Amino acid sequence: MRSEFELIARYFERRAKSAVLGVGDDAALVRTSADCDLAISTDMLLEGRHFLPGAEPRALGHKTLAVNLSDMAAMGARPRWATLAIALPADDEAWLAAFTQGLFALAEREGVELIGGDTTRGPLTLAVTIFGEVPRGKALLRSGARPGDDVWVSGELGGAALGLAYLQGRVNPMPDDAREACKRLDEPEARVALGERLIGIAHSAIDVSDGFAADLGHILERSAVGATVSYDALPRPEAFARLKRPDLERRCVLAGGDDYELVFTAAPEARPRLAALGVALGLRLTRVGAIESGAASLRVVDAEGKLVESPGGFDHFRRGA
Ligand code: ADP
Ligand code: MG
């Protein structure tokens, strides 16, 4: 059995590239770029709450970092460094090898360095703190939405929730659709490049972790504005058209968590730039509604303008605690 220090050295220590000092000392050292603000965010994943018991460790390593990258994306920040606090029930080296493989593959792809953390025994818990850089004073905030802005969504909504519903035996999509939905759930892609490119274009942004309606709701509250969104315009996987389960579809699209797409607002004048940006990134960007003055409430309407009931998003202290 290896000691805690051997496990750290073997699985978490890498030669520092951009950090002044990485894993191995009492603290890491980083030097931030001039003319940048440091964006800092922490996200925690608990077994049985954020992922199903027995989750495949390589995908879990990917997701642990991806959910944190998504917060950088939502700020328009370039992710640079991360720390990982991990509680492990046992020193299962095959598990650690696969987990760190998933984590480091994504970290290298996104140019993020793991510079420290903490390792302890306990119920499987993963907490990453991520540090990113954003041009000074230019970060994308939840509070910047203005009446008249368009509301935009990247990618597709509801895929991860469909994957979860499938794994829980609540729905039975075609095999290819099920596979794609599970991939959305297990290995989300944070929209980092999009976030960075939205600086100077978007007025506000958030990532969809708790569900579209809930997360757009945060923008509305922080910006003290309302919004009307077209339900039919919301981009979603084609699997839903084949399923013909309209209630489940509505719950997944409006309230499904874990998609890690970006919801953002921008002036109508930005439409051509956003169309070009979507093409440049090979990422679908869809205009789904508009910001209005007035109470911070979201109206989701169908093609006839009738209100679509919008189920709430996930809140750890309201539901299923
Ligand atoms: P300390 O006793 O000072 O807290 P630790 O023994 O906890 O030191 O950690 C030793 C070094 O290993 C530190 O640089 C710490 O940041 C790093 N470290 C510990 N656990 C992890 C981890 N899971 N991922 C990355 N670095 C880690
Ligand atoms: Mg420690």
Side-chain angles (χ1 to χ4, degrees), residues 4 117-119:
E4 172 195 329
D118 202 19
T119 305

Side-chain angles (χ1 to χ4, degrees), residues 10-289:
R10 184 173 171 91
Y11 293 104
F12 296 111
E13 196 163 340
R14 296 279 195 282
R15 181 191 301 280
K17 283 194 206 125
S18 77
V20 177
L21 187 65
V23 170
D25 215 306
D26 295 310
L29 295 172
V30 299
R31 205 161 291 155
T32 52
S33 311
D35 302 322
C36 277
D37 289 326
L38 196 57
I40 305 168
S41 174
T42 300
D43 249 320
M44 196 154 80
L45 298 184
L46 271 70
E47 185 173 52
R49 178 155 299 267
H50 302 94
F51 57 92
L52 299 171
E56 200 275 302
R58 194 195 49 78
L60 192 58
H62 173 101
K63 184 164 181 172
T64 300
L65 185 59
V67 302
N68 284 275
L69 290 172
S70 182
D71 285 316
M72 293 291 104
M75 299 300 286
R78 168 167 299 186
R80 299 287 314 271
W81 306 288
T83 62
L84 168 69
I86 182 167
L88 292 167
D91 60 346
D92 179 344
E93 294 208 34
W95 190 96
L96 262 176
F99 175 83
T100 50
Q101 198 184 38
L103 182 98
F104 279 111
L106 181 58
E108 269 155 37
R109 168 148 70 82
E110 295 290 348
V112 181
E113 247 186 307
L114 187 71
I115 55 168
D118 202 19
T119 305
T120 179
R121 195 178 291 266
L124 186 56
T125 306
L126 307 157
V128 167
T129 297
I130 192 157
F131 304 81
E133 293 186 316
V134 60
R136 190 167 294 174
K138 296 283 200 297
L140 304 172
L141 308 182
R142 296 179 178 186
S143 55
R146 304 171 200 169
D149 275 3
D150 294 324
V151 178
W152 292 82
V153 181
S154 69
E156 293 174 340
L157 299 170
L162 179 62
L164 182 62
Y166 164 71
L167 291 178
Q168 292 174 334
R170 291 187 280 121
V171 62
N172 203 1
M174 312 283 278
D176 283 354
D177 291 342
R179 210 169 305 124
E180 194 178 314
C182 288
K183 176 113 175 133
R184 281 303 305 237
L185 178 68
D186 294 336
E187 294 182 66
E189 284 299 331
R191 304 304 186 189
V192 174
L194 173 62
E196 274 189 71
R197 299 283 291 272
L198 286 178
I199 295 234
I201 302 178
H203 292 157
S204 67
I206 191 167
D207 64 319
V208 182
S209 53
D210 297 330
F212 169 79
D215 289 318
L216 176 56
H218 293 312
I219 288 187
L220 303 184
E221 269 167 43
R222 291 279 166 177
S223 303
V225 291
T228 298
V229 162
S230 156
Y231 177 66
D232 295 337
L234 291 170
R236 65 200 77 181
E238 277 174 26
F240 287 113
R242 287 185 275 274
L243 264 181
K244 300 192 173 56
R245 293 271 302 272
D247 287 348
L248 175 109
E249 178 173 341
R250 206 174 59 240
R251 259 179 282 125
C252 289
V253 171
L254 289 175
D258 266 2
D259 281 319
Y260 302 103
E261 296 294 350
L262 294 186
V263 173
F264 56 96
T265 76
E269 294 72 47
R271 285 175 197 175
R273 287 169 80 189
L274 287 165
L277 181 56
V279 172
L281 295 173
L283 178 62
R284 187 170 167 191
L285 299 181
T286 310
R287 185 159 55 85
V288 298

